[in-house]
């Protein structure tokens, strides 16, 4: 972005500096998917008459999960389908941690906050699961099990090793992906 | 509640990883949330400004910084990682072009991070051109990164993926390729050989069957 | 190490279907209609409203507060409050204007809270600025300068300037969201423009 060097004596030139500044400030802000997801998940449900629609935006989308530990949950009710390339897909995360007291999901989609996505113990008492809505793309994650970070043993490793502690990867396909 | 003090040790038992400790004092007001250290945040904010000006997504920078903080890395290391990511995102945009989605840029950055040269990433990007849904490059790029991380040579990986992508191979097939190659390498096969063999099978399948999902040529 | 028995990778083929023909696609609905839909119980309608106005909200909050993550918090709060107060929205007013009145309120609250909290941090952040490692100085130089110029405006001037020239609200709309009078607003915008021009031009020359 080259900057102009106008002569201040010239009124037009002064306006040009300001106009350019305004143009820069107007520059499109993209809405972070994590922010959007968090907001939508915080919206209270609002049942009205008989039409109860769940808040979490669900779609007949393909959640492509690398590794057997993750499965796509498909909703079949047509009223919940959304035609939009940016829509989220529901992904189920599971980890076996029979001795754990607390397990949560951390990753780029919740800014690695262990308090954001606590997981629930499944009926068998040994597996912890959580369904999360993720936007299309590659997501890096791990499980925080009683304060320790664990990868998903069945998902591919993230190639980055910036911090000496590995993570796992899940890829969510966008709608209409083959 | 996940508390902030973790014991530093490494366990190499089937994927169980323990995070090294980090002084709670450096973690910000909420001990459990990985709040960025003030100086780290200052650097990330500035990087985000310049990254945003280039039309690149800024969320990955904050996510990277939060990841490093949670994993107990010291501030210098976190900053280095965030800088590196900013550079990789920028290079990915050059390689993939202005039309690339944020998700594709992030996937491209991961391929660059794995050691694939920008011209090879660009080559794969070109192979997928010509119709298709936005974000179609994500899976090929992630597969590329993964294979290179398993010691497939970048050339072999790109050549195979190019052949698949240009024939309209879908994400599902790429996922199968990835896991098959992983298994073969674990069984002792040479990485390049594994990729070539597995992708040839898929190519053959794509060539011989009527392409149900491929778009008609315009 | 596979620690539990699971079927092989499950992929559910795409085949996303659109809304049925009887439904109006959300993209064609007015903001007012979307509000009505939301109140009638359609969850997707509010999502569409969020998608329409989130970017501008984030932009305004970021420029106003000078802090991206604080802006994100404020913007989220704004949408949550808007959602709860949807019943009180009057369709004669543009939705964005109504939303922005909530947003401006949240920003003002955030700023007054911040001023009470961070008086002592100002000195520290200057030290940080000096010590933090140089990024690509060239590409961020203009932005830094711009941020500082904006930050140097008084909150009232900044608010008025951003609403008028960045968010492009009309003066009437700005009056209703800020509660200020017409002449006061015009004066603030004028002063803000003059100040920014002066700072930015000096920077160019200097």
């Amino acid at each position: 972005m080259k900057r102009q060097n106008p002569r201040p004596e010239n009124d037009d030139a002064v306006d040009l500096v300001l106009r350019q500044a305004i143009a820069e400030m107007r520059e499109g802000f993209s809405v972070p998917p994590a922010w959007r997801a968090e907001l939508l998940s915080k919206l209270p449900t609002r049942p009205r008459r008989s039409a109860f629609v769940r808040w979490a935006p669900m779609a007949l989308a393909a959640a492509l999960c690398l590794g057997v530990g993750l499965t796509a949950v498909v909703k079949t009710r047509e009223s919940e389908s959304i035609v939009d390339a940016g829509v989220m897909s529901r992904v189920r995360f599971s980890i076996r941690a029979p001795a754990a007291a607390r397990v949560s999901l951390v990753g780029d989609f919740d800014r690695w906050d262990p308090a954001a996505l606590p997981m629930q113990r499944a009926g068998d008492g040994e597996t912890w699961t959580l369904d999360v809505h993720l936007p299309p793309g590659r997501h890096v994650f791990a499980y925080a099990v009683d304060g320790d970070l664990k990868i998903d043993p069945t998902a591919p490793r993230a190639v980055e090793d910036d911090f000496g502690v590995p993570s796992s990867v899940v890829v969510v396909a966008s709608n209409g992906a083959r | 509640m996940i508390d902030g003090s973790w014991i530093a040790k490494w366990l190499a038992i089937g994927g169980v990883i323990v995070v090294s400790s980090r002084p709670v004092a450096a973690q910000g007001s909420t001990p459990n949330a990985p709040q960025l250290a003030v100086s780290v945040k200052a650097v990330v904010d500035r990087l985000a400004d310049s990254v945003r000006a280039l039309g690149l997504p800024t969320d990955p920078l904050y996510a990277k910084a939060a990841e490093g903080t949670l994993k107990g890395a010291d501030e210098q290391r976190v900053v280095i990682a965030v800088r590196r990511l900013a550079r990789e995102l920028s290079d990915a945009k050059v390689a993939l072009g202005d039309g690339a989605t944020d998700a594709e840029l992030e996937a491209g950055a991961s391929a660059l991070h794995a050691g694939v040269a920008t011209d090879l990433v660009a080559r794969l990007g070109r192979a997928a051109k010509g119709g298709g849904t936005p974000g179609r490059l994500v899976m090929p790029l992630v597969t590329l990164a993964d294979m290179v991380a398993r010691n497939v040579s970048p050339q072999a990986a790109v050549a195979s993926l190019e052949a698949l992508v240009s024939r309209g191979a879908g994400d599902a097939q790429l996922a199968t390729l990835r896991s098959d190659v992983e298994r073969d390498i674990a069984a002792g096969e040479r990485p390049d050989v594994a990729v070539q063999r597995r992708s040839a099978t898929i190519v053959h399948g794509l060539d011989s069957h009527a392409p149900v999902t491929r778009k008609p040529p315009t | 190490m596979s620690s539990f028995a699971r079927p092989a990778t499950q992929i559910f083929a795409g085949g996303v279907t659109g809304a049925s023909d009887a439904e109006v696609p959300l993209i064609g609905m007015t903001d007012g209609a979307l509000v009505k839909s939301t109140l009638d119980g359609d969850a997707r309608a509010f999502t569409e409203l969020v998608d329409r106005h989130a970017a501008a909200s984030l932009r305004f909050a970021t420029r106003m507060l000078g802090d991206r993550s604080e802006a994100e918090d404020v913007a989220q709060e704004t949408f949550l409050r808007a959602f709860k107060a949807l019943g009180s929205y009057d369709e004669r007013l543009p939705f964005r204007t109504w939303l922005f009145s909530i947003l401006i309120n949240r920003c003002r609250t955030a700023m007054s809270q911040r001023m009470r909290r961070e008086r002592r941090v100002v000195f520290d952040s200057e030290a940080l600025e000096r010590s933090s490692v140089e990024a690509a100085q060239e590409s961020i130089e203009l932005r830094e300068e711009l941020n500082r110029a904006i930050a140097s405006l008084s909150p009232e001037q900044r608010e008025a300037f951003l609403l008028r020239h960045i968010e492009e609200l009309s003066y009437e709309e700005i009056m209703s969201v800020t509660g200020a009078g017409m002449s006061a607003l015009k004066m603030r915008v004028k002063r803000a423009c003059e100040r920014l021009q002066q700072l930015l031009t000096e920077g160019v020359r200097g």
Side-chain angles (χ1 to χ4, degrees), chain C residues 77-92:
Chain C
E77 257 186 76
T78 298
F79 278 102
L80 289 170
R81 280 173 182 251
F83 178 75
K84 289 176 191 146
L86 270 186
S88 72
Y89 168 64
D90 182 346
E91 205 178 313
R92 285 170 296 175

Side-chain angles (χ1 to χ4, degrees), chain B residues 36-46 62, chain C residues 67-70:
Chain B
L36 306 184
V38 183
S39 55
V40 168
K41 185 176 186 307
V43 173
V44 180
D45 283 344
R46 295 178 119 194
Y62 290 98
Chain C
D67 182 310
R68 178 63 192 246
S69 65
E70 205 181 340

